[in-house]
Amino acid sequence: GRRSLRQMYRKTSAIIAHSQKAADKVVGTFDVPAELVSVIPHGELAAGDRRREDREHLRVRLGWDRGQQCLMFGSPAPYKRIEEVAAWWGEARPEAKLWIIGKSWDSAYESHLQSRFSGIENVAFVFERLDDTALVIYIVAADAVILNHRSRSLTSGAACRVRSLDVPLLLPNS
């Protein structure tokens, strides 16, 4: 927990944070000397990305219909609260389709997700590892991306990536 992180941080010679807010949190929460923390912002992750294409063309390429499409991506894991979102999707039945895409390290968790939510027609799983090109295609094709992680990351690379591709990003309220 926090104690072991504090010990780990105190033994390191340098810490990189991607924002001043994250640096301040490390210093304040873990009692780390401020001089150990350097702020190096993520930057614009889509700069020079020539893979951006027309959203409708990408949807055709993916075999998606013309309706609204939402995306959750990355290696499926419990801390991403995929089950919470998929369960809500099944109950609320929004018009949008939810795509959950990524390869889990735990095939049993993939099987669990598939069996629990297979009856919901507006929830789809693609358990594949995506390279950068494929990930950009899915993100740009989506109407919105959902990141429902249990911990609030101040410097999420995934959030920066989505933002830099000009796709709306939905984050938890908790």
Side-chain angles (χ1 to χ4, degrees):
R2 195 172 284 212
R3 184 175 174 208
S4 59
L5 282 174
R6 182 176 283 125
Q7 290 172 343
M8 181 184 64
Y9 283 138
R10 286 184 178 163
K11 290 182 180 195
T12 189
S13 59
I15 298 170
I16 297 172
H18 295 292
S19 72
Q20 188 59 53
K21 187 173 179 182
D24 293 344
K25 186 167 185 173
V26 168
V27 169
T29 303
F30 300 105
D31 196 28
V32 172
E35 58 271 10
L36 288 182
V37 184
S38 298
V39 176
I40 303 174
H42 266 298
E44 191 63 38
L45 297 176
D49 193 341
R50 293 179 178 26
R51 295 171 286 192
R52 293 193 222 188
E53 299 178 43
D54 175 74
R55 175 172 280 151
E56 293 308 315
H57 170 75
L58 293 175
R59 287 176 177 211
V60 169
R61 219 169 129 181
L62 293 171
W64 289 3
D65 63 32
R66 293 185 155 285
Q68 293 180 328
Q69 311 291 327
C70 291
L71 175 68
M72 293 182 84
F73 68 87
S75 179
Y79 80 92
K80 294 182 179 179
R81 300 189 308 188
I82 294 167
E83 293 180 64
E84 179 181 293
V85 175
W88 179 87
W89 224 265
E91 292 169 18
R93 300 277 185 197
E95 290 182 26
K97 184 161 188 167
L98 175 63
W99 291 90
I100 299 166
I101 300 173
K103 183 74 179 147
S104 178
W105 294 99
D106 181 359
S107 60
Y109 186 63
E110 286 182 2
S111 296
H112 165 73
L113 290 172
Q114 190 69 50
S115 65
R116 181 170 176 200
F117 300 107
S118 63
I120 303 172
E121 59 184 71
N122 64 343
V123 175
F125 294 92
V126 179
F127 294 121
E128 296 175 5
R129 186 189 172 287
L130 302 179
D131 63 22
D132 286 342
T133 300
L135 179 59
V136 168
I137 289 169
Y138 275 102
I139 292 171
V140 173
D143 290 292
V145 171
I146 300 168
L147 296 179
N148 196 38
H149 300 182
R150 189 170 289 135
S151 63
R152 287 198 111 177
S153 173
L154 299 171
T155 58
S156 167
C160 289
R161 181 69 164 164
V162 171
R163 180 198 51 79
S164 67
L165 290 167
D166 297 323
V167 175
L169 179 61
L170 305 175
L171 299 168
N173 202 9
S174 55

